[in-house]
Amino acid sequence: MQSVSELCLLLVEDLYGELTSRILEVLFRYGRLPIAAIRAHTRLSPRLIKHGLAVLLQQQLVYGHTPSAEVSIYEVNTVGICNLIRSGKYIRVTKDRLGDFASGVISNLLLLGHARVRDLVQAYGVSSELKTLASGKGVTKTAGKSLLNGVSKEIYSDQGDLIGLETIHDALCNLLQAGFVSHVNESHFRSDADNRIEAERTVPSPETYKAKSKRDRDAQWEGAIQSKLEEWKYGSEAEKKDLEILRNGKKRPLEEADSLRAQKRRRLNGDMHIVSDLTQASHSEKKRFLDNDLVLRVNHAKFSVIMRNACLVRLAEKSICVSTSRVYARVLSQLEPNLRVCKEESLDTEALDEDPEFNGLAPVSTEEVVDAIGDTPELWNDLGQVDASRLDDFEEDHPKKRRRKEEKNDENKVMVDGDASADEVEEEKEEIEKEDSTHSVSSAASDDINGEAEHLPQKAPPKAPDPKHEAVRNHLLLLTRHPHRFLHHFPETLMSPERWTVCYSPLVDTLQHQTIYEIVTARYGMAAARIIRLLVDKGKMDEKFMQNLILTNQKTMRCYLTTLHGASLIYLQDIPRDNSRNPQRTLFAWYFDLERARRKLVNETYKSMARCLQRLKVEKDKVKGTIEKATRSDVIGREEELLTPQELEALMMWREKEEKILGEVGRLDELVGVFRDY
């Protein structure tokens, strides 16, 4: 807890100033507090405290809860503060997918925390309203000024593109459709525990439900609470319907378009004096517009899903090859729109086999993957042909089940003492050919007699295999057959085509194990990583049994065990053989606990990130005067003219150090995502 609090204080102080960091320091030290208690601990005036809390609430860095007829209580949102490090990643992902203007909108939302659509539109200097006159003279309100048609206030982006009301709304609709932004609800400013309390107050008590037993009433009450929490978190049914309209590509007209449709009816009735209004109405109906009072914020959960997919693609590239990882990236992108958060799907693989949509993800067919990949000839010859009949051999979870299945198949086979001779083989072939010819002649004669020979359906020749389809399918089968089980395969049936889906929870466990192996190998060597891998595969083991499996001497193995135990990566359990608990009659078993190791590594990562930010602050203080001079408005863009050679050299060295340190912080944040978010 000390490491994460230190990291959060450094981030908030660097971005929002000393006032907010002092308030956060008190909340970290004493927990949930009202304003009066914060004032007593910080010795600040109520005005300054409210100003600092307003900034923190605007950015959703603290939670606020006001129970009925009680004082508001505030607590720290550590996950929201740590997400400030990922702002650059959010902007880069948005730029790669939706363009520069959408990334600028995301940047503004990250800067503002949350904002209304009207405020975002006015921030670009564009009016949020569109009015039309019945006489055909349209009037557009722009920045508080009424401009007639033909007179416009042109606003351009940094790339030279013209920014208008349609451009901003279209970018916001694209962000909503991709899930990068979401609606803001009052529950987003409360913690999960406070939302649970409010949901219990809102939902009727269990006694009101009509059920025979108390267990059924409690189950119905719990279901109602979960429904209410989901509604608060993801929006009401009306908001979901609007989002589905945007996702399906349907257009939503402006609120003022009702008068335009009335003008269209008048024109159809014979009034031909409003042709220009009709043209403007049809143009506005083709655009997508949002409610001006809608409040939006950045959806951190969706970006976590995208970053998790990127980690899984890198894991597939390391485990298999680059081309197969590209195919896997396409499969993940097809499943991505149906994922709202990372930790939502089910773990029941048996139920998933019975119902492919059990975990809420619609499986992807092979044809959809082929269409998404497009023309990529380099994928065709990367792999050889895969025998689909052998795919069932890898459906079992454990090798013992496979061997048991193979033994059962061997028992069903007919065993022959000797091989058949060449004469016997020739006689069997002649008999088979004779039976086939006799059968064909008799069937043709019967068809001629009945008069049905001409009307019998002819067998269609087999279709030539599509090399592109077969190449993609080979990659998908390879992902399914891999020990990491990157994909889950649903064979083709009479009712549905061949489909594929992903079981994320086992994959995330594999990703965490692989990351731990890499960290241990870098710190303590390959032998230490082999010990942890052995404990993960075999479970708890004593020292003698472990020594036989690792094939090393006792002294060397004890050195590694002591080192890993001191680093809190493996643990020791004593199992006494009798009640005397004599050490000589006690079995000491070593084991690996993923959850405890994960918490340990996350805490160490927080500490490393805090040290990097402290180092960045020290290096910045060394050239503070030069940085302040270079950031002046009259110096920006003219550094070579107004700065001395010594100042230019110091500034360049500072920027290189800043880039390296921030890059290291970003790489450490990827570890936090693997162990905490995914």
Side-chain angles (χ1 to χ4, degrees):
M1 187 64 183
Q2 182 179 359
S3 301
V4 66
S5 62
E6 187 178 3
L7 174 62
C8 292
L9 291 176
L10 288 171
L11 286 172
V12 172
E13 183 179 1
D14 183 56
L15 294 175
Y16 304 107
E18 184 181 358
L19 175 62
T20 53
S21 66
R22 289 182 62 182
I23 296 174
L24 273 183
E25 184 179 3
V26 171
L27 292 177
F28 270 118
R29 183 176 300 175
Y30 298 101
R32 295 161 56 96
L33 292 176
I35 293 181
I38 297 175
R39 178 186 178 186
H41 292 294
T42 57
R43 306 289 181 88
L44 296 174
S45 63
R47 177 175 173 273
L48 290 177
I49 294 175
K50 291 180 180 179
H51 178 71
L53 287 175
V55 174
L56 294 173
L57 286 171
Q58 177 75 17
Q59 300 293 331
Q60 296 184 8
L61 305 181
V62 298
Y63 290 125
H65 179 51
T66 306
S68 57
E70 295 183 13
V71 184
S72 299
I73 301 176
Y74 303 93
E75 63 176 318
V76 182
N77 179 13
T78 56
V79 177
I81 297 175
C82 293
N83 285 336
L84 294 173
I85 302 175
R86 303 178 181 177
S87 300
K89 298 179 182 178
Y90 296 170
I91 296 173
R92 183 183 61 193
V93 170
T94 308
K95 183 178 180 180
D96 294 340
R97 296 196 178 193
L98 301 178
D100 295 332
F101 186 76
S103 65
V105 175
I106 287 290
S107 178
N108 291 330
L109 282 176
L110 289 170
L111 183 64
L112 298 173
H114 62 272
R116 294 184 303 174
V117 174
R118 179 183 289 107
D119 297 335
L120 280 174
V121 172
Q122 292 178 357
Y124 285 96
V126 181
S127 175
S128 59
E129 297 180 357
L130 181 63
K131 303 284 186 180
T132 56
L133 298 177
S135 61
K137 298 285 186 177
V139 178
T140 304
K141 293 184 178 180
T142 305
K145 298 180 181 180
S146 297
L147 304 175
L148 293 175
N149 282 344
V151 181
S152 62
K153 182 179 179 181
E154 296 181 348
I155 301 173
Y156 294 89
S157 63
D158 297 337
Q159 291 76 23
D161 299 330
L162 180 64
I163 298 177
L165 184 63
E166 295 84 0
T167 305
I168 301 174
H169 278 270
D170 190 61
L172 291 175
C173 290
N174 291 333
L175 291 171
L176 270 174
Q177 181 179 356
F180 293 167
V181 297
S182 61
H183 303 174
V184 176
N185 193 283
E186 185 180 356
S187 63
H188 295 155
F189 298 93
R190 297 192 296 258
S191 63
D192 294 339
D194 293 333
N195 283 329
R196 173 78 185 192
I197 294 173
E198 290 296 325
E200 290 178 356
R201 291 179 180 177
T202 305
V203 173
S205 60
E207 289 76 11
T208 58
Y209 295 97
K210 296 180 181 180
K212 296 182 180 180
S213 62
K214 183 177 182 301
R215 179 181 298 178
D216 295 339
R217 290 194 297 268
D218 292 341
Q220 294 178 1
W221 182 61
E222 184 66 26
I225 291 176
Q226 295 300 328
S227 300
K228 179 61 69 175
L229 291 175
E230 184 177 358
E231 178 183 350
W232 286 348
K233 187 174 183 179
Y234 300 113
S236 61
E237 294 297 331
E239 294 174 347
K240 292 180 181 179
K241 190 176 295 184
D242 292 341
L243 182 60
E244 189 66 25
I245 291 175
L246 292 175
R247 183 169 296 173
N248 293 334
K250 297 182 180 180
K251 310 301 180 183
R252 179 178 177 180
L254 280 172
E255 295 177 356
E256 291 81 6
D258 295 334
S259 61
L260 300 177
R261 284 193 292 268
Q263 295 170 4
K264 181 177 180 180
R265 287 195 298 269
R266 289 197 299 270
R267 176 185 177 276
L268 295 176
N269 291 332
D271 191 358
M272 303 299 294
H273 298 286
I274 52 175
V275 179
S276 60
D277 289 343
L278 177 59
T279 305
Q280 188 174 0
S282 61
H283 176 71
S284 63
E285 288 181 355
K286 294 180 180 179
K287 300 296 181 181
R288 297 181 294 179
F289 294 90
L290 298 176
D291 186 5
N292 288 325
D293 295 328
L294 180 65
V295 183
L296 300 175
R297 70 182 180 105
V298 176
N299 188 6
H300 298 278
K302 191 66 176 182
F303 283 103
S304 297
V305 172
I306 295 173
M307 289 188 289
R308 182 184 65 177
N309 290 345
C311 288
L312 294 178
V313 171
R314 288 195 294 269
L315 179 62
E317 182 178 351
K318 292 179 182 178
S319 304
I320 307 177
C321 63
V322 178
S323 57
T324 305
S325 66
R326 294 177 184 174
V327 177
Y328 191 50
R330 292 297 183 180
V331 177
L332 294 176
S333 63
Q334 294 291 317
L335 297 173
E336 182 183 299
N338 299 323
L339 285 174
R340 297 179 294 186
V341 294
C342 286
K343 300 178 181 179
E344 191 179 33
E345 61 277 351
S346 173
L347 297 175
D348 193 355
T349 56
E350 295 182 358
L352 183 63
D353 291 331
E354 297 177 359
D355 185 5
E357 298 184 7
F358 178 76
N359 61 349
L361 294 178
V364 181
S365 63
T366 308
E367 287 73 14
E368 293 176 355
V369 179
V370 172
D371 295 338
I373 291 176
D375 295 332
T376 51
E378 64 272 9
L379 299 179
W380 293 5
N381 299 322
D382 285 345
L383 298 175
Q385 296 294 327
V386 178
D387 188 3
S389 62
R390 296 184 58 192
L391 186 62
D392 297 335
D393 297 340
F394 295 86
E395 294 295 332
E396 304 294 343
D397 295 332
H398 200 275
K400 291 183 179 179
K401 296 182 179 179
R402 297 183 202 160
R403 290 195 295 267
R404 196 178 301 119
K405 184 177 180 181
E406 291 175 359
E407 292 176 358
K408 186 176 180 181
N409 293 333
D410 293 338
E411 292 177 358
N412 295 331
K413 293 181 180 179
V414 178
M415 305 301 296
V416 181
D417 294 335
D419 297 333
S421 62
D423 297 336
E424 293 177 351
V425 173
E426 292 294 336
E427 291 178 0
E428 290 180 0
K429 288 183 178 180
E430 292 177 358
E431 291 179 359
I432 293 173
E433 292 176 357
K434 185 177 180 180
E435 291 178 358
D436 292 341
S437 60
T438 305
H439 177 70
S440 59
V441 171
S442 60
S443 59
S446 60
D447 293 336
D448 291 337
I449 293 173
N450 297 328
E452 299 176 357
E454 297 179 357
H455 304 284
L456 284 177
Q458 301 292 330
K459 292 184 179 181
K463 296 182 180 179
D466 186 6
K468 179 180 176 181
H469 184 278
E470 291 298 324
V472 173
R473 187 173 183 275
N474 288 338
H475 286 285
L476 296 175
L477 291 175
L478 182 58
L479 290 166
T480 304
R481 295 179 54 181
H482 195 272
H484 293 342
R485 302 301 298 271
F486 289 102
L487 288 178
H488 192 85
H489 177 245
F490 299 103
E492 182 179 2
T493 61
L494 295 176
M495 303 298 295
S496 62
E498 188 179 36
R499 294 173 296 173
W500 316 82
T501 189
V502 179
C503 297
Y504 286 97
S505 297
L507 267 179
V508 171
D509 293 340
T510 302
L511 180 62
Q512 292 179 356
H513 283 111
Q514 294 295 327
T515 307
I516 291 175
Y517 299 153
E518 293 176 0
I519 293 174
V520 173
T521 303
R523 291 183 181 179
Y524 311 110
M526 186 67 70
R530 189 165 68 248
I531 291 175
I532 291 184
R533 188 186 297 271
L534 182 65
L535 292 176
V536 170
D537 295 338
K538 303 296 183 181
K540 296 181 180 180
M541 289 188 299
D542 62 342
E543 189 174 325
K544 293 181 180 180
F545 186 63
M546 193 185 305
Q547 181 181 354
N548 296 330
L549 293 178
I550 295 180
L551 300 179
T552 184
N553 56 36
Q554 187 178 16
K555 183 178 180 180
T556 304
M557 190 183 65
R558 282 186 176 180
C559 292
Y560 285 113
L561 291 175
T562 305
T563 303
L564 293 174
H565 185 261
S568 299
L569 293 175
I570 61 175
Y571 306 95
L572 187 63
Q573 180 183 5
D574 54 331
I575 305 173
R577 299 179 181 178
D578 52 15
N579 295 331
S580 63
R581 305 188 69 87
N582 188 356
Q584 297 180 355
R585 298 189 56 81
T586 301
L587 180 65
F588 295 95
W590 295 94
Y591 68 97
F592 173 80
D593 189 351
L594 177 61
E595 185 64 24
R596 296 171 67 178
R598 185 184 61 83
R599 290 197 299 264
K600 174 67 176 177
L601 291 175
V602 167
N603 189 26
E604 292 181 355
T605 306
Y606 283 146
K607 185 181 295 185
S608 300
M609 295 168 71
R611 297 296 177 266
C612 289
L613 294 179
Q614 289 175 351
R615 181 66 180 179
L616 184 66
K617 185 177 180 181
V618 171
E619 295 293 337
K620 185 177 181 180
D621 291 338
K622 292 181 181 179
V623 290
K624 183 177 181 181
T626 305
I627 295 175
E628 290 178 353
K629 184 177 179 180
T631 54
R632 285 165 40 185
S633 59
D634 59 334
V635 179
I636 296 176
R638 302 172 56 191
E639 291 85 352
E640 297 181 357
E641 300 177 6
L642 302 178
L643 295 180
T644 63
Q646 293 79 9
E647 290 175 342
L648 283 174
E649 184 179 0
L651 185 62
M652 292 298 296
M653 292 180 62
W654 150 248
R655 289 177 178 175
E656 290 179 0
K657 292 179 182 179
E658 183 185 25
E659 183 179 358
K660 292 179 180 179
I661 294 175
L662 292 180
E664 182 65 25
V665 171
R667 286 189 290 270
L668 292 173
D669 180 68
E670 292 181 0
L671 294 179
V672 175
V674 170
F675 292 120
R676 188 196 67 184
D677 298 333
Y678 302 161

